[in-house]
Amino acid sequence: MEQIPGLSSLASAYQGHMAEKRKFQAIKGTRDLLPPETELWNRVEQTAREVFGTFGFGEIRLPIIENIDLFARSIGSETDIVGKEMFSFEEYGFTALDTFRRNIITLNLVGPEPRFGFFNPQLHVDRFLEALSFSVQKGEIAKTPEVLSALENVTELRDHLTAELQKEKPDREEVRVYWSAIQQRAKNVHLGDQICLRPEATASVCRAYIQQNMQALAQPVKLYYMGPMFRRERPQKGRYRQFYQIGAEVLEAITPNTDATKTIGKDAAVDAEVIEMVMAYFARLGLEGVQLDINSIGHSAPDCRRGYVEKLKAALEKVKDKLGADSQRRIETNPLRVLDSKLESEQEIIAGLPRIGDHLCADCAKHYAEVKRQLELRGVAYRENWRLVRGLDYYMRTTFEITARGLGSQNAVCGGGRYDGLVELLGGAPTKGIGFAIGEDRVILSLQEARKEVASGEWLVASGKSACDVYVAWMGKTAEATAIRAARDLRAAGFRVELPPVEQKFGKALGQADKLGARYALILGEDEVASGEWTVKTLADGTQGKVRGEGLVAYLRRNLSEREVKQ
Ligand code: ATP
Ligand code: MG
């Protein structure tokens, strides 16, 4: 078998490490979720499925990796998320080529003490060129003009470098220049697509809507999703690098030639229903201190948001000196985001800035008024917050945010809004959209904060679920077969059953049952098996009863439901 270069040294390094017993840690900003906490996660997710289902939403399961351009285009390359928080990598299967390229990139000829006397940098370049042209010939890499010119360029630079190195006294500066040009060129060769871990899912839902031709379905299309998202943020309470969102989107293809002013009422009702749905979900979960903030950010037109942003910018210029560095920068890049500022010293200044509500065009103002009326019809309490913005162009009209108790400064549990331009921006037909994303980690934190017992697992008992319903304590060979059968029948009936793999003295078994928080212990010794009268012990009060094997399931069901009635 051919040796894989580097592998044997890797193997011996590994053996060396074994002696140290390396302890692996979860990657920064990610965490393990364990039982019983995961029961709570499941409940939060299951409740979303139930509530969203009653509003006619179906689940969409999306890939976790996407082409990076999808987010660059939708979220925008100016934002923090795309600018610095994405986990990305180049996707291709040419490992040799990648190794050769990395050799070039990491070989430092431009440091203060270049070591080019000792080895032959052209060799790396030749290997890279060879592998690259081989891949192009085989069709593994598209023969694009960029790739061809890179091949030509790097070859040329390699020749210059060789010529220089062959001189009796090579000019160090010349060598450095050629080398960094080669490095740059090699780095920029497009070997495959840039892939990233998704930082959010709205763009993916829109991509899927277009790709799966969902405009051909009955409109609107109502979808929900749940799953992990990834952002390279500074980890802290309620902020992680892998976090979980539960979100929903309503997408509706715009019928050509419809009068946009005629659908304002309908759109507003859709917005209100989406908000009503999240609020109903949070109520069902028992989330405490839920506060809904709403705003309208108009639409991107000179007589609406764009005009407002101009006025805002002018007003900000006047007070620039009193603002912090972040806000000063945002005056140019994204003035709306200044309104987001939590900086104490800026609050008074912001309070005096022009408000978008006073600058909405007639249609947007009408839409906003209608959303509020619709929310009132649905009995959804809201607070208007003129400072609530989304700094992205495709967002329009309705924006909302929901906060909850017990989360400190990371208290936003849901953000949402209308984004009628997004599907078109991603290459689809004109389509309306509204949706939201819930931060599941924060919802869980808030629920745990409100009910401390959750962490200790008592929540399971309180909610009628225990980690173990029946502990089967058995002793003796004949009892073993009976115990196995009893466990099988109980599990088939839906009970959570613990069956010790080897026999235990009854005292020890009951101790174990207690530790697990079991509700009942089924005691099976030789006597019980012989007489067919099994002993069932209720662990909470220590009472015991005799049951015949075939009546066990019915007995436990009756008992459990009686307990529930009492509670
Ligand atoms: P924040 O202001 O808290 O940074 P955001 O505006 O970046 O939130 P969105 O992109 O609107 O958040 O995502 C919706 C929700 O997802 C947020 O309200 C929050 O609950 C949650 N969320 C966002 N980023 C994180 C994270 N890094 N860790 C945990 N939850 C997050
Ligand atoms: Mg954020």
Side-chain angles (χ1 to χ4, degrees):
M1 203 181 90
E2 209 182 318
Q3 277 282 323
I4 301 174
L7 203 63
S8 59
S9 65
L10 235 170
S12 60
Y14 175 68
Q15 273 155 12
H17 267 100
M18 287 293 282
E20 293 172 21
K21 279 227 170 135
R22 175 168 178 197
K23 277 203 190 122
F24 289 100
Q25 302 274 323
I27 305 291
K28 184 179 170 193
T30 71
R31 46 201 189 124
D32 304 311
L33 303 168
L34 309 174
E37 196 187 339
T38 40
E39 290 282 351
L40 181 56
W41 283 77
N42 285 332
R43 180 170 77 100
V44 164
E45 288 163 13
Q46 187 49 35
T47 307
R49 294 177 196 287
E50 285 164 18
V51 174
F52 297 175
T54 63
F55 282 78
F57 283 68
E59 181 177 9
I60 181 168
R61 296 204 182 197
L62 297 156
I64 282 171
I65 50 176
E66 293 271 7
N67 194 306
I68 200 166
D69 295 338
L70 177 66
F71 302 107
R73 182 97 65 93
S74 59
I75 305 175
S77 44
E78 293 297 304
T79 58
D80 281 354
I81 295 182
V82 172
K84 53 183 199 217
E85 292 175 0
M86 289 228 276
F87 290 96
S88 63
F89 54 91
E90 205 172 3
E91 158 54 27
Y92 53 88
F94 324 111
T95 44
L97 185 51
D98 183 41
T99 308
F100 298 147
R101 175 159 77 160
R102 214 184 317 242
N103 286 345
I104 295 177
I105 295 170
T106 53
L107 188 62
N108 189 13
L109 281 193
V110 285
E113 271 304 315
R115 297 165 45 226
F116 58 77
F118 299 100
F119 57 86
N120 189 349
Q122 308 100 291
L123 195 68
H124 290 299
V125 184
D126 286 344
R127 279 185 178 159
F128 170 71
L129 284 170
E130 212 174 287
L132 181 58
S133 49
F134 187 65
S135 291
V136 171
Q137 270 167 30
K138 279 210 326 200
E140 288 171 344
I141 293 184
K143 211 175 193 166
T144 58
E146 290 77 26
V147 169
L148 293 179
S149 94
L151 262 170
E152 202 173 296
N153 257 203
V154 177
T155 309
E156 225 171 81
L157 287 162
R158 192 268 325 263
D159 291 345
H160 285 302
L161 180 71
T162 310
E164 192 58 42
L165 285 173
Q166 276 166 355
K167 288 182 186 161
E168 204 166 305
K169 270 200 139 215
D171 180 336
R172 286 183 170 227
E173 197 42 43
E174 287 284 295
V175 171
R176 283 193 185 122
V177 170
Y178 287 134
W179 187 248
S180 48
I182 289 171
Q183 285 182 313
Q184 209 49 54
R185 221 46 188 99
K187 211 173 173 172
N188 291 341
V189 177
H190 180 85
L191 299 183
D193 286 338
Q194 280 289 329
I195 307 282
C196 67
L197 302 180
R198 61 182 186 188
E200 56 110 43
T202 301
S204 300
V205 174
C206 292
R207 182 211 29 81
Y209 180 86
I210 300 167
Q211 186 180 341
Q212 308 303 334
N213 211 14
M214 286 191 242
Q215 69 275 14
L217 305 175
Q219 303 291 303
V221 174
K222 302 199 266 187
L223 298 167
Y224 72 87
Y225 60 83
M226 51 187 74
M229 307 293 158
F230 304 83
R231 298 182 195 173
R232 193 185 276 108
E233 303 199 72
R234 192 169 67 77
Q236 51 192 294
K237 185 186 173 194
R239 198 178 287 290
Y240 311 99
R241 291 184 164 187
Q242 175 173 340
F243 62 101
Y244 295 79
Q245 283 187 339
I246 299 175
E249 318 286 349
V250 179
L251 293 162
E252 179 170 17
I254 298 172
T255 333
N257 307 322
T258 38
D259 180 353
T261 57
K262 295 240 166 70
T263 59
I264 288 175
K266 181 176 136 197
D267 297 347
V270 173
D271 294 3
E273 191 177 74
V274 165
I275 295 173
E276 180 190 4
M277 179 170 90
V278 198
M279 298 302 276
Y281 170 52
F282 285 160
R284 180 82 71 87
L285 284 180
L287 199 66
E288 291 184 0
V290 175
Q291 168 70 51
L292 164 69
D293 279 20
I294 62 165
N295 192 21
S296 172
I297 53 166
H299 77 300
S300 180
D303 66 338
C304 197
R305 181 166 71 235
R306 246 187 276 158
Y308 165 70
V309 171
E310 286 310 314
K311 289 201 183 73
L312 179 65
K313 218 167 154 179
L316 285 168
E317 291 290 354
K318 281 192 206 138
V319 294
K320 189 169 180 176
D321 299 341
K322 293 183 209 145
L323 297 171
D326 278 346
S327 292
Q328 288 194 0
R329 195 163 24 83
R330 289 191 174 129
I331 298 178
E332 287 313 315
T333 57
N334 203 340
L336 283 173
R337 289 306 293 254
V338 176
L339 305 180
D340 252 356
S341 160
K342 308 249 167 6
L343 218 64
E344 202 46 55
S345 60
E346 294 180 341
Q347 300 309 310
E348 211 185 303
I349 304 165
I350 293 173
L353 292 169
R355 303 182 171 207
I356 185 140
D358 303 327
H359 297 88
L360 294 177
C361 70
D363 283 353
C364 285
K366 186 172 156 201
H367 178 271
Y368 188 36
E370 191 54 23
V371 169
K372 287 185 278 186
R373 193 183 73 86
Q374 281 283 345
L375 286 174
E376 281 148 27
L377 280 177
R378 288 155 207 270
V380 176
Y382 62 85
R383 177 171 73 183
E384 287 186 75
N385 177 356
W386 70 276
R387 287 175 54 174
L388 188 66
V389 293
R390 304 253 135 192
L392 312 174
D393 248 18
Y394 65 77
Y395 270 108
M396 64 178 300
R397 294 188 176 163
T398 308
T399 55
F400 61 99
E401 184 173 271
I402 301 168
T403 51
R405 196 177 291 159
L407 295 168
S409 55
Q410 262 63 254
N411 65 348
V413 288
C414 175
R418 177 165 277 279
Y419 50 83
D420 289 358
L422 183 54
V423 169
E424 208 174 345
L425 189 75
L426 295 174
T431 305
K432 292 180 182 186
I434 162 107
F436 61 82
I438 294 167
E440 190 178 357
D441 308 70
R442 293 185 194 173
V443 167
I444 302 262
L445 268 172
S446 177
L447 290 172
Q448 289 174 326
E449 205 56 45
R451 287 195 272 148
K452 295 280 188 202
E453 77 270 24
V454 170
S456 66
E458 280 169 35
W459 170 80
L460 287 174
V461 180
S463 67
K465 275 185 183 175
S466 67
C468 174
D469 297 317
V470 185
Y471 193 95
V472 183
W474 61 272
M475 268 187 87
K477 268 281 159 259
T478 48
E480 180 175 25
T482 310
I484 288 173
R485 242 184 308 114
R488 188 192 56 201
D489 293 346
L490 287 170
R491 284 172 178 150
F495 292 99
R496 299 179 182 214
V497 178
E498 206 55 50
L499 175 70
V502 291
E503 66 177 355
Q504 288 170 327
K505 296 227 165 69
F506 286 126
K508 189 174 168 206
L510 291 174
Q512 187 70 10
D514 255 346
K515 252 190 231 158
L516 287 174
R519 294 179 157 199
Y520 300 98
L522 172 62
I523 298 170
L524 294 172
E526 305 288 338
D527 290 350
E528 278 85 359
V529 175
S531 67
E533 293 277 317
W534 300 356
T535 306
V536 176
K537 182 167 179 159
T538 306
L539 291 159
D541 54 18
T543 55
Q544 269 182 213
K546 291 276 182 192
V547 194
R548 293 205 60 83
E550 60 278 9
L552 180 64
V553 166
Y555 174 86
L556 289 176
R557 283 217 176 110
R558 203 168 49 239
N559 253 275
L560 281 170
S561 57
E562 265 169 30
R563 274 173 63 101
E564 259 153 45
V565 172
K566 267 191 237 153
Q567 268 170 11

